[in-house]
Amino acid sequence: WTLLAIILKQWYQRRVRATAQIQGDLRAFERRITKAVQYLEPKSYRWRILLLLSVFFVLFSGYGFITNIQLDTNFSVFSALYENKIFAVALMFLGLLVLTGAHKRANTSAIILARNRQVLLEYNLSCNDKGKLIIKPSKDKEI
């Protein structure tokens, strides 16, 4: 019996050490995700504000463009844009933002969290919008 007790004690100690190591790894992973989200959130907030301001500027100057447009037989889009330079500049600025990927930069933290959730799903884990890990119940039925 003493041999069996020694074997069981060693098995239990190894299991406790492995569990502690797994918990430490999970905590380190959680800290890394939260740091990434905290780092990217102010930058993505700035990009959102810039895009929002640009869209509003295009909308308001576009209203002026539409109300001032005069449809003649010689109507040209370029001449209409030349007459409404504010709308043309606002439209080019918004187009430049979209071409440089500002719409992706505005959602960087959300994209990273979505990709992490997709990977963590395989391990019955998830994370909230701040990057904190959420342990989900196991899908397997234990007997």
Side-chain angles (χ1 to χ4, degrees):
W1 291 105
T2 56
L3 181 62
L4 182 61
I6 292 171
I7 292 172
L8 286 175
K9 184 178 179 182
Q10 289 176 349
W11 173 81
Y12 179 74
Q13 288 174 348
R14 274 186 259 137
R15 185 169 177 163
V16 167
R17 278 190 296 247
T19 303
Q21 183 180 5
I22 290 170
Q23 289 175 348
D25 290 345
L26 284 174
R27 285 189 193 114
F29 184 70
E30 181 182 59
R31 278 193 303 269
R32 182 67 182 125
I33 293 174
T34 54
K35 278 184 184 180
V37 170
Q38 288 173 353
Y39 174 75
L40 292 172
E41 197 61 37
K43 289 184 178 184
S44 62
Y45 184 71
R46 287 184 206 121
W47 281 108
R48 285 182 200 138
I49 289 174
L50 185 63
L51 278 171
L52 189 65
L53 287 174
S54 178
V55 167
F56 280 133
F57 197 64
V58 166
L59 288 176
F60 288 125
S61 62
Y63 177 74
F65 174 73
I66 290 172
T67 56
N68 291 337
I69 199 167
Q70 297 173 357
L71 296 175
D72 297 349
T73 55
N74 296 338
F75 176 75
S76 171
V77 174
F78 294 112
S79 64
L81 286 174
Y82 183 75
E83 292 175 12
N84 296 297
K85 293 180 179 92
I86 295 173
F87 176 69
V89 169
L91 194 60
M92 285 192 303
F93 185 69
L94 181 62
L96 185 66
L97 284 175
V98 171
L99 287 175
T100 58
H103 59 290
K104 292 179 185 175
R105 291 180 187 145
N107 293 325
T108 306
S109 59
I111 292 169
I112 288 177
L113 286 172
R115 290 178 183 170
N116 278 323
R117 284 185 189 116
Q118 188 177 7
V119 171
L120 289 171
L121 192 63
E122 296 176 18
Y123 302 102
N124 291 330
L125 295 170
S126 185
C127 60
N128 63 9
D129 291 337
K130 302 282 184 184
K132 298 287 183 183
L133 287 178
I134 300 169
I135 300 173
K136 293 186 173 187
S138 178
K139 295 178 184 176
D140 299 332
K141 294 181 181 179
E142 295 183 24
I143 298 175

